[in-house]
Amino acid sequence: MMNKLKVFLFVALFWSPVVIFAGEGMWLPIFLKALNESEMRDMGMKISADDIYNINKGSLKDAIVHFGGFCTSEIISDQGLLLTNHHCGYGQIQSHSSIDNNLLKNGFWASTLSDELPNPGLTATLIDWIDDVSNAALDGVTEDMSSTERQSAIDKNLVKIKESYNLKSYQDVQIRPFYNGNQYFAFITTTYKDVRLVGTPPESIGKFGSDTDNWVWPRHTGDFSMFRIYAGPDNLPAEYSEENIPYKPKHFLPINLKGIKEGDFTMVFGFPGRTQEYLPSYAIEQIVNVLNPAKIEIRDAALKILDSHMRTDEKTKIQYASKYARIANYWKKWIGENLGLIKTKAIDKKQKYEASYVEKNANHGERLTYLPKFNSLYESITPYAYARDYYLEVVGRNVEALNLTSYLRKLVNTYEENGTEEYGKYKARLENYLTDFYKDYNPEIDQEVFTKLCQMYLDHLESTHYPSMFTGNSDISQIANYLYRGSIVPNADMMTDILNREPEIVIATIKNDPLYALAEEWNEIYTDKINKPYQEYNVQIEELQRLYMKAQMETFTDKRFYPDANSTMRITYGNVEGYSPRDAVEYEAFTTLDGVMEKYVPGDYEFDVDEKLQTLYNTKNYGQYANKEGKLPICFIGSNHTTGGNSGSPAIDGHGRLIGLNFDRVWEGTMSDINYDRSICRNIMVDVRYILFIIDKYAGATRLIDEMKLVK
Ligand code: ARG
Ligand code: GLU
């Protein structure tokens, strides 16, 4: 009996790599062969590391495109057809929209190549190859250097490395620090500049569920849009021109129409933005107990005010919809992050890890100094970090008029430092910005936000961090009244009028403006009394983190360390799997169109379903896109370790075929940026069959289906 149990345990622990290893890690494609290939194969991958990253022949990496520098996209035809998220293409879709031709509302499908819409400024970046340049970057750098000396030595080395590349005119090289500056990698890139909008579903599909469903599973969003890379006649990057032709890629992703099931291997390939997996427990305590609660409470207050107005006034709802979504996105993420960190006892877990670090380093005097140093540095920095987040959230983000003063400051500085010509150029840009700003601005609402948030600032921060106007003044609403009446900043007409005057008058008026004056003083307090001490401690923390990172890698030699995300190309892999967010609740891994209809609220701005989709549902007209039960798949989740920037990343099966499109994570698992835990960390993907169904059955854009390679 006992033996059987032992065998069972052994099998469960060591023979089931799917269970043990799946999930954690954002790996560099150049090290897959050495670090990951065999595990990936054990988990169900059929292709080789060489098929994923190879610089001598077309490989998967040649289909992965950094979209505009902020999202990921992938090439899915031999004519440069790009797939990314709806929320990634949102800005472009919006820019082609007007009241009479509202692409956001109605969707858009170019019927021929010549109907595809150019997007000035939008780029598509491919990775040509990646080099480990650590030795050259750290050449001559010694441990006794100060951090400034060290940085300047490295900067000089990086210049030399860049020069040593013999790049083509269309290529560029980016060199980034990894493992907190212990290693350096170079990314040689080619950037295409003619990227056109090909198609998008209406918002009711591409943004179905909007803020209510954001970060939430079960999910039913068709979060995709399509673009195309255009090249010059030589297939190389070219500025927009009618003569440009669709780009011929070295590789594009074939599409798996057979579908996926629970447990299947998946990998996600893209450009994750930022993670912090190797922090000491003190840093996590600071995030959980101090910084996240502060940011959450500020945004909570701001969102409540916006919401109360958006609910009662249609115009306000339209004006504030996009701002509200932006503020709510990270507000909701931080709440989920804290929940997850607490639920999985992340601090406890780190402390145990640190205890084992201390034990293993009993004979390393130097390495033992790091944790106590962190302890004292985090203790010192916390009041400043807290004040800094408070200032940045209140002044830098949520009170719009205060936020606007930073642009006015730039105008004043440009005039005083660079003269009238530069002033004129900046003023023209500012005027464009202001037109958009005031279009969606309501001074009464902003005054309410000002009153509430400044009151919170007063209640929570030390008096040395207040602007003098607040000192000894307990009634912020009076101050707010005075400022919002007396200032030109919240007043579009006055501001426009002033900006048309002579530069001297503009500058004098701004400088005399009471709200501007308040912001100026506040900014000085922030710079000298908050940010300066914050940065002084932060430099020391970063330096210590570099040493601690190195020490962790040298201490736990049997652990594979993946570098924190830094917007460079990575692969993560896991399995299709559901999860249990809390007691008695089990989530399945798949959603279907039935769930869209369950959520349907006629006329609602988040959950409306248009007639066309309803008809397709009622007639079950799913064609080749239905699953085995005859239902239409919508989204699925998996244990892939992703973060912001992975939006639009392809979900790829074991054969290298596209099965879905990454666009979000589950709420309880957003803490994966700090503490990945396979029990609740899941990424959310749209099933590729839903995407193709929308293109084909819903939109009738069959010319796009025809250029793809479908595997049935
Ligand atoms: N949560 C996703 C991400 O972090 C999607 C955000 C866009 N969607 C939204 N409803 N705000 O970026
Ligand atoms: N929506 C995120 C993005 O825009 C991806 C979600 C995440 O943070 O994982 O990149």
Side-chain angles (χ1 to χ4, degrees):
M1 184 63 206
M2 198 54 214
N3 272 347
K4 262 194 186 157
L5 183 67
K6 270 192 192 149
V7 170
F8 170 75
L9 279 178
F10 181 80
V11 170
L13 284 172
F14 299 100
W15 283 101
S16 184
V18 172
V19 175
I20 307 293
F21 297 116
E24 181 164 9
M26 300 171 169
W27 305 94
L28 271 164
I30 52 171
F31 295 139
L32 279 189
K33 197 172 199 73
L35 293 178
N36 313 92
E37 187 180 43
S38 83
E39 179 182 275
M40 292 168 92
R41 281 178 185 275
D42 285 345
M43 288 170 63
M45 186 175 77
K46 305 290 179 221
I47 57 176
S48 68
D50 232 27
D51 297 322
I52 297 174
Y53 178 86
N54 192 316
I55 55 173
N56 300 314
K57 61 165 199 190
S59 57
L60 284 190
K61 76 123 171 76
D62 298 307
I64 313 302
V65 180
H66 210 172
F67 183 82
F70 53 85
C71 273
T72 306
S73 58
E74 50 278 353
I75 304 175
I76 56 168
S77 86
D78 64 356
Q79 297 173 56
L81 189 59
L82 267 190
L83 181 63
T84 189
N85 289 144
H86 183 270
H87 80 259
C88 294
Y90 198 86
Q92 281 73 33
I93 302 168
Q94 189 174 39
S95 76
H96 293 293
S97 294
S98 60
I99 294 199
D100 305 328
N101 181 27
N102 192 340
L103 275 51
L104 285 169
K105 184 157 185 284
N106 306 321
F108 165 76
W109 304 94
S111 30
T112 63
L113 284 179
S114 55
D115 297 316
E116 298 178 355
L117 303 171
N119 302 289
L122 181 63
T123 54
T125 300
L126 288 145
I127 304 296
D128 298 331
W129 75 91
I130 306 171
D131 283 332
D132 181 350
V133 295
S134 302
N135 288 339
L138 296 170
D139 186 38
V141 172
T142 56
E143 279 311 324
D144 52 11
M145 287 176 159
S146 72
S147 55
T148 341
E149 286 167 351
R150 181 186 165 93
Q151 201 48 54
S152 91
I154 292 173
D155 289 343
K156 280 188 200 127
N157 288 342
L158 297 191
V159 171
K160 271 194 254 163
I161 302 172
K162 283 188 184 170
E163 283 167 3
S164 73
Y165 281 105
N166 216 335
L167 298 181
K168 304 280 194 299
S169 61
Y170 51 83
Q171 284 177 316
D172 194 12
V173 53
Q174 298 162 6
I175 306 177
R176 294 279 171 78
F178 284 69
Y179 300 103
N180 302 106
N182 285 293
Q183 297 182 24
Y184 283 79
F185 290 85
F187 297 78
I188 291 68
T189 61
T190 292
T191 296
Y192 285 82
K193 296 174 195 157
D194 184 355
V195 184
R196 304 186 195 169
L197 178 64
V198 173
T200 172
E203 267 186 314
S204 60
I205 291 171
K207 216 184 154 179
F208 183 75
S210 192
D211 292 314
T212 302
D213 268 8
N214 189 24
W215 299 111
V216 164
W217 183 254
R219 192 65 157 275
H220 298 86
T221 314
D223 195 343
F224 81 96
S225 60
M226 303 184 87
F227 289 78
R228 191 188 301 282
I229 304 178
Y230 280 76
D234 48 6
N235 207 33
L236 294 174
E239 295 295 335
Y240 170 79
S241 151
E242 274 185 36
E243 266 74 73
N244 286 351
I245 49 168
Y247 167 66
K248 283 240 161 295
K250 287 200 208 119
H251 184 78
F252 65 92
L253 300 179
I255 291 166
N256 175 358
L257 272 195
K258 275 186 292 206
I260 38 177
K261 55 180 190 319
E262 181 97 22
D264 278 357
F265 173 82
T266 57
M267 57 186 165
V268 174
F269 206 165
F271 296 86
R274 181 163 187 256
T275 59
Q276 302 171 280
E277 312 285 350
Y278 304 103
L279 295 174
S281 56
Y282 311 107
I284 304 183
E285 279 180 306
Q286 186 200 56
I287 293 169
V288 176
N289 299 328
V290 183
L291 301 185
N292 276 354
K295 292 187 291 189
I296 292 166
E297 97 189 333
I298 297 166
R299 289 200 181 188
D300 202 43
L303 287 168
K304 281 205 177 94
I305 295 170
L306 302 192
D307 183 65
S308 70
H309 291 276
M310 288 166 75
R311 271 177 199 281
T312 51
D313 182 52
E314 193 60 27
K315 181 170 168 234
T316 310
K317 194 163 102 184
I318 298 169
Q319 280 184 319
Y320 276 76
S322 155
K323 276 188 258 197
Y324 187 94
R326 227 177 310 132
I327 302 170
N329 191 31
Y330 265 65
W331 165 77
K332 200 165 176 183
K333 190 218 158 188
W334 292 320
I335 298 176
E337 185 170 271
N338 257 24
L339 273 175
L341 288 170
I342 292 166
K343 181 183 158 70
T344 58
K345 303 195 169 59
I347 297 173
D348 229 44
K349 208 167 109 187
K350 272 285 176 189
Q351 285 168 346
K352 291 201 176 100
Y353 173 80
E354 287 164 4
S356 132
Y357 168 90
V358 169
E359 196 183 315
K360 282 177 181 284
N361 283 311
N363 299 320
H364 280 88
E366 168 73 15
R367 285 186 200 161
L368 290 178
T369 62
Y370 301 157
L371 289 167
K373 276 190 198 157
F374 271 130
N375 188 4
S376 111
L377 280 170
Y378 274 102
E379 214 173 285
S380 308
I381 201 175
T382 296
Y384 300 107
Y386 177 76
R388 183 170 179 269
D389 273 356
Y390 238 94
Y391 176 86
L392 294 176
E393 283 292 318
V394 175
V395 182
R397 182 179 270 272
N398 290 297
V399 179
E400 296 177 77
L402 287 175
N403 178 273
L404 198 59
T405 58
S406 64
Y407 296 85
L408 300 179
R409 182 175 312 127
K410 175 129 195 239
L411 185 72
V412 172
N413 290 347
T414 306
Y415 177 75
E416 290 179 346
E417 286 157 28
N418 307 324
T420 39
E421 199 179 319
E422 290 303 313
Y423 163 87
K425 282 189 209 155
Y426 184 71
K427 188 178 86 116
R429 277 176 32 214
L430 179 62
E431 280 168 334
N432 278 333
Y433 176 82
L434 289 175
T435 311
D436 288 343
F437 175 86
Y438 287 121
K439 180 166 74 63
D440 292 334
Y441 179 68
N442 179 327
E444 283 85 42
I445 298 178
D446 195 38
Q447 181 176 337
E448 218 177 305
V449 175
F450 177 98
T451 310
K452 177 75 193 164
L453 267 46
C454 290
Q455 188 63 54
M456 290 172 74
Y457 189 97
L458 280 193
D459 294 344
H460 288 89
L461 264 59
E462 292 183 25
S463 56
T464 49
H465 293 157
Y466 304 168
S468 53
M469 195 181 238
F470 292 169
T471 319
N473 217 326
S474 55
D475 190 2
I476 294 290
S477 61
Q478 264 180 18
I479 299 178
N481 252 332
Y482 159 73
L483 289 175
Y484 277 75
R485 285 212 187 116
S487 166
I488 58 166
V489 183
N491 189 320
D493 293 338
M494 260 156 73
M495 179 71 104
T496 317
D497 182 50
I498 293 292
L499 285 177
N500 284 330
R501 313 266 181 102
E502 292 301 305
E504 299 77 41
I505 299 181
V506 176
I507 299 301
T509 314
I510 292 176
K511 284 180 146 180
N512 279 322
D513 187 90
L515 199 110
Y516 182 78
L518 168 74
E520 275 302 282
E521 189 201 345
W522 210 341
N523 178 49
E524 264 169 44
I525 293 172
Y526 168 73
T527 309
D528 297 340
K529 297 197 179 145
I530 300 175
N531 198 38
K532 191 157 166 270
Y534 171 85
Q535 294 303 347
E536 280 165 10
Y537 288 119
N538 198 41
V539 169
Q540 298 177 55
I541 287 178
E542 282 179 356
E543 178 64 15
L544 193 57
Q545 184 68 39
R546 177 177 65 77
L547 298 170
Y548 181 50
M549 185 74 237
K550 182 160 177 275
Q552 291 180 68
M553 294 170 87
E554 288 167 358
T555 304
F556 301 101
T557 44
D558 49 354
K559 180 172 148 82
R560 285 175 313 176
F561 284 86
Y562 57 94
D564 270 320
N566 58 359
S567 294
T568 59
M569 183 181 243
R570 305 294 178 89
I571 289 194
T572 172
Y573 49 92
N575 299 94
V576 176
E577 52 183 327
Y579 71 111
S580 169
R582 49 191 180 276
D583 190 32
V585 180
E586 291 283 341
Y587 283 140
E588 287 177 19
F590 305 93
T591 59
T592 69
L593 191 57
D594 297 21
V596 174
M597 297 310 295
E598 283 171 7
K599 286 180 177 173
Y600 170 40
V601 181
D604 185 70
Y605 82 106
E606 297 189 304
F607 293 102
D608 203 7
V609 178
D610 74 5
E611 251 169 56
K612 211 162 161 188
L613 190 57
Q614 288 193 46
T615 307
L616 289 163
Y617 171 74
N618 290 330
T619 55
K620 301 284 173 281
N621 186 359
Y622 305 151
Q624 58 184 341
Y625 309 111
N627 67 14
K628 292 203 176 70
E629 290 77 47
K631 296 186 174 185
L632 186 69
I634 304 283
C635 294
F636 64 102
I637 50 176
S639 48
N640 305 285
H641 189 179
T642 56
T643 189
N646 268 127
S647 274
S649 296
I652 300 171
D653 70 7
H655 297 276
R657 302 168 189 147
L658 187 72
I659 49 177
L661 182 62
N662 183 75
F663 71 101
D664 212 357
R665 273 175 291 166
V666 305
W667 199 45
E668 302 84 358
T670 53
M671 55 133 187
S672 62
D673 291 345
I674 297 166
N675 170 52
Y676 180 91
D677 187 312
R678 219 206 84 218
S679 66
I680 52 171
C681 291
R682 296 289 179 276
N683 68 316
I684 308 181
M685 299 154 275
V686 201
D687 196 301
V688 76
R689 290 170 292 177
Y690 185 43
I691 296 174
L692 264 59
F693 163 84
I694 294 294
I695 298 171
D696 183 349
K697 296 281 176 181
Y698 176 89
T702 45
R703 77 168 178 113
L704 300 175
I705 304 283
D706 293 342
E707 61 177 287
M708 301 174 196
K709 187 169 152 193
L710 308 184
V711 182
K712 294 182 195 164

